[in-house]
Amino acid sequence: MRLARADAIAATVVLAAWVYVWTHPLWGWEVIPYLTLAKTALGHSWAEAHGWVYDWVRHLPDFWREDLLQRHFHRAAVAKDPESLRQLAVFYHANVGFYGLLAGLLAAGLSAGVAVMFTNLLGMGLLAGASWLWLRPAVVASHGWRRWFWWLVWLAIVLNPLTLLVMRASGPDGLAVGLLVAGMYGLTHGRWPWTAAAWIAMSLVQPITALLVVALLPWACVRAKPLVALLLGIAVLAGGLSVLFPGYGLPVLWQHTFGFPYTYPAGVTLVWEWPMYQATLLARLGDIGMVELAAWLLTLALAARMVYLRTPWWGVAVALLAGAIVREGMFPTLWAGDVVGVAVLVVLLALRPCLRAGKGLSFDA
């Protein structure tokens, strides 16, 4: 009875989170190339896909329509030229799993906005479900204030501002975060098929996120040798997607994202220079939001505490954090999607000694 009651409450919380995500979408500009790529994957020409996606944009609420069409002269120019959008879509081409999923949803008859929001709901369901399964034994077995503590931990994971921000955004970040957490749940609870399926899907949805799990290789070589083959396969998959869908090079990507946007990036050639990298990185660090900074500091503090106390899974926490730092060094967006998944996992791993031991924990020593 206690377990059924706890599951019913958790399901109600997830439903409420889904309703919030559904009713408060954040339409970023990247939704335009992703939907266009999905449409072209279904056999439409770039001109047809361009007209279709901008017809959808023009039916969005006023704020989002003006933002996507006129906030910058670059956006207004792209709205008029399918060739410009085709060249810009190259920046997003490697995330084949995300727009492939969108293509499947569009083929099933869903509208553009509903298809994108479906991926957000899926990401939220994976994150909330995996973290609930992780904490459920402690919630059910505890009494008094301890039970309330575990409930508050789970609610903080699911309903904190960073999680809700990522899950509302119109890109692959929310789905990638959900798959990351679901895969780690499988690893820490002896459900390796879950880990393999979740992390391979994550690498297809957003290949750069594979850096987080590939960073586990040194730990796996010592503590979990059967995991090495999976991690190497993920590294090959993510690297192969980058080779199969090449972009315009990291200097062009940095300048386009953090400097000035290119309307026709195919004709741009830049040479990587250390001063440019250093100046851009320092500028990005200076622009980090306070909530994101707090999440990074919390993650660093918990990982440092795990190392100091040599708690179980401290090596995994350090590897995840190292992978996140390397990813930021490569592409410092410094937004919520870059830290929320790692922060959730480090919190769960740090609290693991307080949880009742599960089954299949062969790497806790």
Side-chain angles (χ1 to χ4, degrees):
M1 289 293 294
R2 183 182 299 172
L3 179 61
R5 186 165 55 249
D7 285 341
I9 296 172
T12 303
V13 171
V14 174
L15 181 60
W18 272 345
V19 170
Y20 181 77
V21 169
W22 182 272
T23 56
H24 295 78
L26 297 175
W27 299 112
W29 189 86
E30 71 279 355
V31 73
I32 293 175
Y34 280 128
L35 284 171
T36 309
L37 285 166
K39 198 69 171 177
T40 57
L42 295 175
H44 295 266
S45 68
W46 277 98
E48 292 170 338
H50 179 276
W52 168 81
V53 75
Y54 276 103
D55 181 65
W56 170 75
V57 168
R58 292 183 184 95
H59 286 85
L60 289 175
D62 292 345
F63 172 81
W64 296 113
R65 181 176 67 251
E66 297 301 317
D67 180 74
L68 297 181
L69 290 177
Q70 300 179 15
R71 186 168 68 88
H72 193 280
F73 74 91
H74 163 74
R75 296 186 176 185
V78 178
K80 298 175 182 178
D81 190 356
E83 174 58 21
S84 174
L85 182 56
R86 186 193 68 80
Q87 293 187 22
L88 290 168
V90 172
F91 288 121
Y92 307 89
H93 221 172
N95 297 346
V96 62
F98 183 68
Y99 63 82
L101 175 59
L102 290 178
L105 295 173
L106 293 175
L110 274 65
S111 66
V114 172
V116 174
M117 287 190 286
F118 179 88
T119 66
N120 293 344
L121 298 184
L122 180 58
M124 173 60 87
L126 288 168
L127 171 66
S131 57
W132 170 246
L133 290 176
W134 203 314
L135 297 173
R136 183 172 64 168
V139 171
V140 175
S142 301
H143 300 276
W145 68 268
R146 291 181 178 83
R147 179 181 297 174
W148 284 108
F149 169 78
W150 292 115
W151 270 115
L152 288 175
V153 169
W154 183 67
L155 291 174
I157 288 173
V158 176
L159 301 180
N160 75 81
L162 288 183
T163 297
L164 293 176
L165 176 63
V166 174
M167 295 305 167
R168 293 160 55 205
S170 55
D173 300 87
L175 184 54
V177 167
L179 290 166
L180 173 68
V181 174
M184 186 59 70
Y185 169 80
L187 176 63
T188 55
H189 290 75
R191 294 174 170 85
W192 285 51
W194 291 27
T195 301
W199 285 354
I200 290 173
M202 178 192 71
S203 302
L204 291 169
V205 165
Q206 194 177 47
I208 195 171
T209 313
L211 283 172
L212 301 177
V213 297
V214 172
L216 295 174
L217 268 171
W219 169 82
C221 290
V222 177
R223 294 291 185 185
K225 289 183 174 61
L227 189 64
V228 172
L230 172 62
L231 296 179
L232 288 175
I234 289 173
V236 171
L237 174 62
L241 288 173
S242 300
V243 173
L244 187 61
F245 301 101
Y248 303 113
L250 205 54
V252 175
L253 176 60
W254 273 53
Q255 287 287 8
H256 174 77
T257 307
F258 308 125
F260 44 88
Y262 298 113
T263 306
Y264 299 97
V268 179
T269 302
L270 294 176
V271 178
W272 187 264
E273 297 177 350
W274 170 250
M276 182 273 289
Y277 171 82
Q278 186 179 34
T280 304
L281 184 58
L282 291 175
R284 294 300 303 157
L285 290 172
D287 288 339
I288 187 173
M290 293 305 297
V291 179
E292 286 83 357
L293 179 61
W296 278 105
L297 293 176
L298 172 64
T299 307
L300 286 166
L302 288 176
R305 183 179 183 275
M306 292 178 69
V307 173
Y308 177 74
L309 297 177
R310 286 297 191 269
T311 61
W313 301 92
W314 68 267
V316 173
V318 170
L320 287 170
L321 187 55
I325 292 173
V326 170
R327 182 174 67 173
E328 291 299 331
M330 290 179 60
F331 192 60
T333 57
L334 295 173
W335 97 289
D338 295 344
V339 65
V340 67
V342 175
V344 166
L345 288 180
V346 171
V347 167
L348 290 171
L349 292 170
L351 291 173
R352 189 159 185 79
C354 305
L355 295 167
R356 299 180 65 186
K359 297 180 179 180
L361 303 181
S362 55
F363 307 121
D364 269 2

